[in-house]
């Protein structure tokens, strides 16, 4: 429902933007629309960033304390930078590499039981897996940076929201009461739609390696 709320909000934004610009398809002047060749990257960011990452995060948080989970999720930044440098050829200076190494060292201490709070080996692996999924998602989203960010994020959130909702119903989960569902959709429009959209613009302007230094996902 959170992802569905984000997708619904961005769909409404796209419709009004198309009416304003007179384009009819929601793509503003100066922005490149999505193409057929983008389907593979869009599918990957939807599955990894919108489905695999959140599911692994919830699995990991259920097996760790809130403090340890919040600290462990900082792995997303260095993993994003590592993927950007190793797999996608971005440049990262000595300070960036040093900071990345320090975050990895902190995560290793947490996994070994030397950090703040409690985390099981399975919980640590799940949280690290979630961060890796988001790291690949960030880098692939950056590869789509020249496309219309609203279209990219709308496709991701609608795809992930629809697929997760279908899976939840198949596994016997039930929709919450209407009032709670509407509240969840509204929160999703802001906390998922607006934040992921702003992050897509940041990836366009900064690149994945530098964006990773500013992006933090932590649990309160």
């Amino acid at each position: 429902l959170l992802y569905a709320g984000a997708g619904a909000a961005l769909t409404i934004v796209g419709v009004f933007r198309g009416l304003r610009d007179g384009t009819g398809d929601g793509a503003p002047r100066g922005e490149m629309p999505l193409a057929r060749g983008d389907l593979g990257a869009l599918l990957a960011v939807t599955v990894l960033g919108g489905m695999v990452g959140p599911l692994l995060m919830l699995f990991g948080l259920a097996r760790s304390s809130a403090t340890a989970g919040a600290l462990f999720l900082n792995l997303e930044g260095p993993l994003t930078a590592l993927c950007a440098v190793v797999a996608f050829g971005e440049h990262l200076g000595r300070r960036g590499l040093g900071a990345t190494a320090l975050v990895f060292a902190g995560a290793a201490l947490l996994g070994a039981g030397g950090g703040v709070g409690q985390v099981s080996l399975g919980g640590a692996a799940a949280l690290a897996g979630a961060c890796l999924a988001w790291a690949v998602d960030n880098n692939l989203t950056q590869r789509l940076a020249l496309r219309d960010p609203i279209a990219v994020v709308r496709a991701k959130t609608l795809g992930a929201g629809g697929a997760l909702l279908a899976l939840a119903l198949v596994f016997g989960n039930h929709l919450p009461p209407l009032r709670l569902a509407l509240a969840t959709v509204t929160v999703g429009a802001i906390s998922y739609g607006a934040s992921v959209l702003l992050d897509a613009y940041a990836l366009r302007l900064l690149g994945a390696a530098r964006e990773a230094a500013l992006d933090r996902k932590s649990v309160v």
Side-chain angles (χ1 to χ4, degrees):
L1 288 175
L2 289 167
Y3 271 111
L10 291 171
T11 299
I12 294 172
V13 170
V15 170
F16 279 101
R17 189 177 60 175
L19 294 174
R20 180 198 65 191
D21 295 341
T23 57
D25 59 358
R29 298 182 182 89
E31 292 283 6
M32 295 177 61
L34 290 169
R36 182 176 299 178
D38 301 322
L39 181 59
L42 276 175
L43 181 61
V45 301
T46 299
V47 173
L48 291 174
M51 299 177 66
V52 175
L55 289 173
L56 286 175
M57 180 190 69
L58 292 175
F59 183 89
L61 290 177
R63 289 155 180 80
S64 62
S65 67
T67 303
L71 293 172
F72 229 99
L73 287 174
N74 283 313
L75 268 179
E76 180 187 351
L79 285 175
T80 297
L82 184 64
C83 287
V85 172
V86 174
F88 295 94
E90 288 193 27
H91 174 72
L92 190 63
R94 291 182 179 180
R95 291 183 179 181
L97 291 173
T100 299
L102 287 173
V103 177
F104 272 123
L109 288 174
L110 284 171
V116 179
Q118 298 179 346
V119 57
S120 68
L121 181 60
L127 292 172
C131 291
L132 180 59
W134 286 322
V136 178
D137 169 23
N138 290 335
N139 279 277
L140 290 176
T141 300
Q142 200 278 329
R143 304 277 83 79
L144 295 168
L146 295 180
R147 305 300 184 187
D148 177 18
I150 289 182
V152 172
V153 178
R154 180 175 61 221
K156 173 184 175 179
T157 52
L158 286 176
L164 287 173
L165 185 59
L167 283 174
L169 295 176
V170 167
F171 282 98
N173 292 278
H174 301 286
L175 289 173
L178 179 60
R179 183 177 178 181
L180 181 57
L182 291 176
T184 305
V185 168
T186 302
V187 171
I190 300 171
S191 63
Y192 281 55
S195 67
V196 176
L197 178 61
L198 290 172
D199 190 58
Y201 278 107
L203 287 166
R204 168 189 281 187
L205 296 171
L206 299 174
R210 289 169 178 80
E211 178 271 350
L214 301 174
D215 181 28
R216 289 292 180 270
K217 287 183 175 68
S218 58
V219 182
V220 179

